Amino acid sequence: MRKYLNLAMSLAIFLLFIVPSVASANQITLKAVLPEYYPGSNVIIKTGDVLYSSKTFGTSTQIVGHIAIVASDLRVYHVNPADDGAGSGGKADALYNYFGRHGKGETIKVYRAAHGSKAAAWAKDNYNKVTNYSIPIFSWNDFKLGTINPNYCSKFIWQAFYYGNSNTDYIIGYYTPSKEAYVTPAQIIDSSDLTYAGSFITP
């Protein structure tokens, strides 16, 4: 009889430990957030992703190459020439609004950056300071990489990486805000800080 009593007590103690564990596991499962993917791809959307689209004149945004960055709110931050009612400049697009700026079936490439998260946070905090899109030709002051407004897409992304990461040039390696130079989308994606993660087709 004592043997069965001991067995019953052992079983009761075991259940006291195992039942809360199962409940906790269920709670974790219910609260788990499934990953989100870029449309029609197996590429997971991540903060700091750099989106690159290689265009030719005559397509949806009338520019040759465009580059943007995804922030923690899953919005795409970029600078473009489109006047959305408030002029050209900095944009904060929901993902599918950003895709809608491209023609259906266009390819967007995704690059992962070692220092992308802080760059994305800077872009989110500063995109609204850009109220005019311009690639400078005649104004040497605007030609400097530190000029926030006016701005253009790839310079804005260079600034995001530079200012977002304690004034360190992770894109080119030796540029400074006082330098008079262009930054192209190709220079961004060719940076050693970025790694190609895949691509997707705009819906």
Side-chain angles (χ1 to χ4, degrees):
M1 183 69 179
R2 184 182 296 275
K3 178 180 178 181
Y4 291 112
L5 184 60
N6 290 339
L7 182 60
M9 289 182 67
S10 298
L11 181 59
I13 292 170
F14 173 76
L15 289 173
L16 283 173
F17 281 98
I18 193 67
V19 170
S21 298
V22 172
S24 297
N26 287 337
Q27 289 172 1
I28 291 170
T29 301
L30 291 173
K31 291 181 180 178
V33 178
L34 295 175
E36 293 191 53
Y37 296 86
Y38 291 104
S41 78
N42 60 356
V43 182
I44 297 174
I45 302 167
K46 292 188 177 182
T47 300
D49 280 353
V50 173
L51 305 183
Y52 171 74
S53 49
S54 177
K55 299 174 179 299
T56 57
F57 284 104
T59 55
S60 56
T61 59
Q62 302 294 314
I63 52 177
V64 181
H66 189 62
I67 201 151
I69 193 165
V70 180
S72 58
D73 58 358
L74 295 187
R75 287 185 172 273
V76 183
Y77 291 87
H78 61 117
V79 171
N80 82 358
D83 185 344
D84 299 332
S88 64
K91 314 290 180 184
D93 288 335
L95 281 167
Y96 276 84
N97 288 344
Y98 181 75
F99 302 155
R101 292 185 184 276
H102 300 72
K104 183 177 180 181
E106 289 185 21
T107 298
I108 296 182
K109 296 180 179 180
V110 181
Y111 290 84
R112 295 269 147 82
H115 297 86
S117 294
K118 290 182 177 179
W122 186 92
K124 179 182 176 182
D125 290 341
N126 291 276
Y127 80 95
N128 56 357
K129 295 177 182 176
V130 185
T131 58
N132 183 28
Y133 177 95
S134 175
I135 300 177
I137 298 175
F138 303 110
S139 173
W140 286 102
N141 183 54
D142 294 346
F143 200 51
K144 290 181 180 179
L145 293 178
T147 303
I148 301 295
N149 188 57
N151 216 323
Y152 56 94
C153 69
S154 44
K155 186 174 100 171
F156 180 72
I157 298 301
W158 179 87
Q159 290 171 340
F161 276 87
Y162 183 86
Y163 292 119
N165 289 287
S166 303
N167 298 342
T168 303
D169 181 13
Y170 286 107
I171 297 300
I172 308 298
Y174 53 89
Y175 277 5
T176 64
S178 62
K179 187 174 180 62
E180 296 171 342
Y182 288 115
V183 177
T184 67
Q187 285 177 300
I188 302 288
I189 63 172
D190 286 344
S191 168
S192 60
D193 200 66
L194 274 65
T195 302
Y196 177 68
S199 67
F200 62 95
I201 305 298
T202 54

